[in-house]
Amino acid sequence: MASKLDIERIIESTDIVQLVSEFVPLQKSGANFKGLCPFHNEKTPSFTVSPDKKIAHCFSCKKGGNAIQFLMDIKNITFNQAINELAKRNSINLEEYIEDKKTPQYTKYYEITKISKQFYQRNLHQTESGQIALEYLHKRGLDDETIKMFGIGLASNKMDVLYKVLKDLNYLELDMMDLGLIRKGDNGYYDLFTKRIMFPICDEEGNVVAYSGRIFNNDDKNQAKYINSPETFLYKKGLILYNLNMAKQAILKNKRVILHEGQMDVIASVKSGLSEAVCTLGTALTDAQTKLLKKYTNDVIICYDGDNAGISASIKAIEMFNKYQINVKLVLLPDKLDPDDYVKKYGNEAYLKYFNDNIIDSMEYRYLIALKDKNLKDNNVVEEIKNEIFSSINSLKSNTIKEVYLNKLANDLKVSFAALNNDYNYHYKRVRVSNYVENSFEVEKNQNYYYEEVKTSEYNYILHELRIFDYAKITKEKAIYIDSKGIIDALSDDNQKIWFKLIENYYDKYQVFDNARFLNVLNEQERNIYIENIKVQQNIKHIQVEYTDADLEEVLKALLKNKDKKSLDSLSNAIYNTSVEAEKIALIEEKIKLRREQDKKEKKKVGR
């Protein structure tokens, strides 16, 4: 065993913050770090890591301890395995190196899983039912070499054959149950898997830790397509990636990993020459799996099913990889196919060519998905597409790439770039103002905050738009007065439509404003925009400035000033988009004239 001195050296040398952060996203909190506890579900972080004390501890479930204890708990490994791993990590030579997997306990368990794998393989190749299963696998495009490579086998038709084999070899029922191979019923012990093709699931080192069993007989169609082993101390599905044990070298060599949804997709890719393929095991991509991949590469290609569920899972996986600064690219297969289906339909070579020729970045993927199978003649659909793509463009750092996608979208929607760019600018600023007010109004502000901060912020014109609507809702007379000032031209395009409905449709029929009644006046697109306005206003809960005539005049002045700015911006866009020289000259002259008029207004104000 390792000496007490070795253990103390390991604990002292381990950066506890770095170790824990590989499994738990941490944030600085004074002298410590905090995160959500990995050992129980919680919404408020209670898991605290102290670099000074060298401990990690959850104040809610009480789990944690030093680096050794944490690693034992998080990876479900023994004390010896933990100190070996940490010793390697810190380049510490133990007085006596312990190969934990050779200890009697682990040797026993790995012997049982190895025997179970051999049993399933013999059953596939040496029984009558096995021949039927082999025919099925061959029809699915799996040759004997692939079947052998992935250790594929077959569970017996009888209920307790594996149990009896292991029992005859003097293994204990408790150990078999601990591994999820058997269960106990009213009539004794029975095998968990029967009449299913068995796919061994291995850990990173290649040890069999679980199974996925698939039906293949038409008589079993009423059963679940797949049954997976339950989680055990050896198998935590959120920590395991199928085929990683065999894909490791290819990942390092090719400097990328391919992530699929299912085992058959992985096998299809490997058969086609993409040996760096892995997949999750029936769950969404986890933090632990993401960090596991990051050990080998910083580049991932997601190739999930092309159906709606696969697309949704891809978007979530993109966000997970972005969280850990991993470069993400994707392959979107046509006709809602998954890799296995594509290979069966077109063959391995066609799949390999399609895969390599159709690798796209995450922005391009989001763009294609936003337009996929959409009716571009439906205005409501067009608005949904715009907002979805605008939200994706917001995350881009390059203004050049933003303009590329805005141009592309303008062409696809058959609208002018100028109009679309105006919509995007308003959307972008609207998102920023939502974030601004949400982050800025967390503490109580004084009565003059609106004037001191909001009116001078870069977001004031959006906040003014929301406030002018509030004034218009007070009385019909006030709304008509505001409208007489020509305010509609100062509003954004979206809010212009809502203002028009308020004045021309609503107040034409009703004397008093009613929110529910007004919503019925709006169409679906306008209703969505109006509801977004309300959400932003709700965030501005600490603005307590009284609604007065003086304040109304201040807001009107600010909006009318913005009206002039909009006119200049519109002319600038028109100049940018026209290729006719005479038109360009005329627009430039108009812009100069407008600028001079605005300068005169400003000088008059100063003169007063």
Side-chain angles (χ1 to χ4, degrees):
M1 288 186 64
S3 69
K4 185 178 180 180
L5 180 60
D6 284 331
I7 293 169
E8 289 174 355
R9 284 171 58 211
I10 288 169
I11 294 171
E12 188 59 34
S13 300
T14 300
D15 184 335
I16 188 76
V17 174
Q18 183 179 342
L19 174 67
V20 174
S21 65
E22 292 177 16
F23 303 92
V24 181
L26 296 175
Q27 288 189 339
K28 194 87 164 64
S29 178
N32 299 325
F33 291 79
K34 276 192 172 183
L36 294 174
C37 179
F39 304 116
H40 78 285
N41 293 325
E42 64 176 3
K43 294 182 179 179
T44 304
S46 61
F47 195 74
T48 302
V49 182
S50 170
D52 294 334
K53 297 178 181 178
K54 297 282 185 180
I55 60 170
H57 177 75
C58 177
F59 287 92
S60 181
C61 72
K62 310 302 180 186
K63 270 212 166 190
N66 60 33
I68 298 171
Q69 185 63 53
F70 173 79
L71 201 59
M72 287 170 62
D73 290 338
I74 199 72
K75 297 185 76 171
N76 288 286
I77 58 178
T78 66
F79 177 81
N80 287 340
Q81 283 180 302
I83 63 173
N84 279 334
E85 183 172 332
L86 293 174
K88 284 182 183 179
R89 185 187 285 252
N90 293 292
S91 301
I92 295 173
N93 294 317
L94 298 179
E95 292 180 1
E96 181 182 347
Y97 190 80
I98 307 159
E99 184 54 56
D100 201 273
K101 289 171 185 173
K102 292 183 180 179
T103 61
Q105 180 189 16
Y106 273 79
T107 299
K108 171 182 62 178
Y109 287 124
Y110 290 131
E111 279 178 358
I112 293 173
T113 58
K114 183 177 179 181
I115 291 167
S116 65
K117 178 184 173 184
Q118 292 169 345
F119 166 78
Y120 291 138
Q121 287 177 307
R122 282 198 302 271
N123 199 49
L124 177 65
H125 293 283
Q126 297 176 13
T127 65
E128 187 176 334
S129 59
Q131 291 307 303
I132 298 171
L134 274 173
E135 287 176 15
Y136 169 84
L137 289 170
H138 290 155
K139 285 179 182 177
R140 291 289 302 260
L142 275 69
D143 54 31
D144 290 338
E145 183 181 348
T146 303
I147 292 169
K148 182 180 178 181
M149 179 192 303
F150 286 92
I152 299 170
L154 177 69
S156 173
N157 291 342
K158 296 180 180 179
M159 296 291 293
D160 59 357
V161 181
L162 177 61
Y163 162 65
K164 288 178 178 177
V165 167
L166 293 171
K167 184 65 177 173
D168 288 344
L169 292 170
N170 296 319
Y171 291 107
L172 300 175
E173 285 89 346
L174 184 60
D175 293 335
M176 301 179 217
M177 291 178 70
D178 282 346
L179 291 168
L181 293 172
I182 69 166
R183 286 180 176 171
K184 187 176 183 181
D186 294 336
N187 298 318
Y189 295 99
Y190 62 93
D191 297 349
L192 176 63
F193 298 100
T194 56
K195 296 192 293 183
R196 287 179 179 270
I197 292 173
M198 302 298 289
F199 297 86
I201 298 169
C202 298
D203 63 17
E204 197 176 351
E205 287 75 38
N207 302 299
V208 177
V209 293
Y211 287 96
S212 181
R214 190 193 195 285
I215 58 170
F216 67 97
N217 196 313
N218 289 331
D219 297 337
D220 299 323
K221 291 298 182 184
N222 292 328
Q223 297 186 39
K225 187 176 180 180
Y226 281 95
I227 288 180
N228 297 321
S229 295
E231 291 200 341
T232 67
F233 66 97
L234 285 184
Y235 173 56
K236 299 291 182 185
K237 56 187 174 183
L239 302 177
I240 300 283
L241 287 162
Y242 180 73
N243 195 48
L244 181 60
N245 59 304
M246 293 195 291
K248 289 187 296 187
Q249 295 305 316
I251 294 169
L252 292 171
K253 179 182 176 182
N254 299 325
K255 297 180 180 178
R256 71 179 193 183
V257 65
I258 298 166
L259 182 66
H260 292 307
E261 281 188 285
Q263 289 130 289
M264 292 302 296
D265 297 331
V266 169
I267 293 170
S269 277
V270 172
K271 279 182 76 262
S272 302
L274 300 170
S275 301
E276 63 271 36
V278 301
C279 73
T280 52
L281 294 157
T283 63
L285 183 70
T286 66
D287 288 270
Q289 289 167 332
T290 306
K291 290 171 181 175
L292 185 57
L293 289 176
K294 196 173 174 70
K295 284 171 52 179
Y296 295 96
T297 182
N298 210 45
D299 294 276
V300 61
I301 301 173
I302 301 171
C303 183
Y304 282 178
D305 298 0
D307 59 13
N308 291 337
I311 290 167
S312 177
S314 295
I315 298 298
K316 290 177 181 176
I318 290 170
E319 292 169 356
M320 178 65 80
F321 285 124
N322 286 342
K323 177 180 174 182
Y324 289 97
Q325 291 82 50
I326 294 175
N327 303 318
V328 187
K329 293 189 177 178
L330 302 100
V331 172
L332 177 62
L333 295 175
D335 306 321
K336 298 184 178 180
L337 296 174
D338 61 33
D340 183 41
D341 291 332
Y342 193 100
V343 168
K344 283 189 291 184
K345 189 170 184 178
Y346 300 109
N348 294 321
E349 290 184 11
Y351 170 70
L352 181 62
K353 185 176 189 314
Y354 184 92
F355 187 97
N356 288 326
D357 290 348
N358 290 276
I359 299 172
I360 56 178
D361 62 39
S362 57
M363 181 60 223
E364 179 70 10
Y365 179 83
R366 287 176 183 269
Y367 184 90
L368 292 175
I369 293 306
L371 270 73
K372 192 172 184 286
D373 302 327
K374 299 292 174 59
N375 178 13
L376 300 184
K377 294 180 180 179
D378 186 325
N379 288 335
N380 289 329
V381 172
V382 168
E383 287 301 315
E384 290 175 6
I385 291 170
K386 275 170 43 184
N387 289 330
E388 187 174 340
I389 293 176
F390 287 168
S391 295
S392 298
I393 291 175
N394 282 347
S395 63
L396 295 174
K397 295 179 181 179
S398 168
N399 288 325
T400 303
I401 303 301
K402 286 182 182 180
E403 187 166 314
V404 167
Y405 278 102
L406 287 172
N407 266 309
K408 191 173 184 179
L409 184 59
N411 290 331
D412 286 336
L413 297 181
K414 294 181 173 54
V415 298
S416 72
F417 174 81
L420 187 72
N421 193 45
N422 281 339
D423 285 351
Y424 170 70
N425 286 333
Y426 182 72
H427 172 92
Y428 174 69
K429 290 163 185 173
R430 185 185 186 84
V431 169
R432 292 190 69 191
V433 73
S434 295
N435 294 335
Y436 171 78
V437 295
E438 193 169 352
N439 294 331
S440 300
F441 295 92
E442 293 178 353
V443 294
E444 198 69 36
K445 304 296 182 181
N446 62 49
Q447 292 288 328
N448 296 321
Y449 183 80
Y450 180 75
Y451 292 102
E452 293 172 3
E453 295 287 343
V454 175
K455 287 178 68 174
T456 58
S457 77
E458 61 177 296
Y459 314 110
N460 56 29
Y461 57 93
I462 295 178
L463 296 174
H464 286 322
E465 283 193 7
L466 302 181
R467 193 163 178 81
I468 209 72
F469 272 97
D470 281 345
Y471 274 110
K473 293 174 189 177
I474 294 173
T475 65
K476 179 177 179 177
E477 290 73 21
K478 202 171 286 290
I480 293 171
Y481 168 75
I482 294 168
D483 188 62
S484 70
K485 298 293 184 180
I487 199 69
I488 190 168
D489 293 328
L491 301 176
S492 65
D493 293 344
D494 287 335
N495 280 332
Q496 281 182 10
K497 298 172 187 175
I498 297 172
W499 183 267
F500 181 83
K501 288 285 182 76
L502 178 65
I503 301 300
E504 300 296 328
N505 293 66
Y506 184 84
Y507 276 135
D508 189 49
K509 294 180 180 179
Y510 307 108
Q511 295 298 315
V512 179
F513 184 82
D514 179 83
N515 207 49
R517 189 182 288 167
F518 181 56
L519 282 170
N520 290 328
V521 173
L522 305 176
N523 63 32
E524 184 178 356
Q525 176 190 337
E526 293 161 349
R527 195 177 300 124
N528 290 336
I529 294 165
Y530 181 71
I531 290 170
E532 283 183 23
N533 285 345
I534 292 173
K535 288 179 181 176
V536 173
Q537 287 171 304
Q538 287 172 344
N539 280 333
I540 316 175
K541 53 184 175 291
H542 290 292
I543 295 181
Q544 299 178 9
V545 176
E546 185 181 353
Y547 289 97
T548 64
D549 289 342
D551 178 66
L552 172 59
E553 294 304 321
E554 287 285 331
V555 176
L556 279 170
K557 283 180 185 177
L559 281 172
L560 292 172
K561 183 178 179 181
N562 185 55
K563 175 182 173 181
D564 293 338
K565 182 180 181 300
K566 279 184 65 183
S567 299
L568 283 173
D569 290 344
S570 179
L571 285 170
S572 297
N573 282 327
I575 292 167
Y576 175 81
N577 283 287
T578 185
S579 57
V580 180
E581 194 63 29
E583 287 181 10
K584 185 171 286 191
I585 291 170
L587 288 167
I588 291 171
E589 289 176 350
E590 187 178 347
K591 183 179 177 181
I592 292 170
K593 181 181 177 183
L594 181 59
R595 174 72 76 183
R596 285 173 178 167
E597 288 175 357
Q598 291 179 11
D599 288 343
K600 285 179 183 178
K601 289 180 185 177
E602 291 298 321
K603 286 177 182 177
K604 283 183 181 179
K605 289 178 184 177
V606 173
R608 287 177 188 174

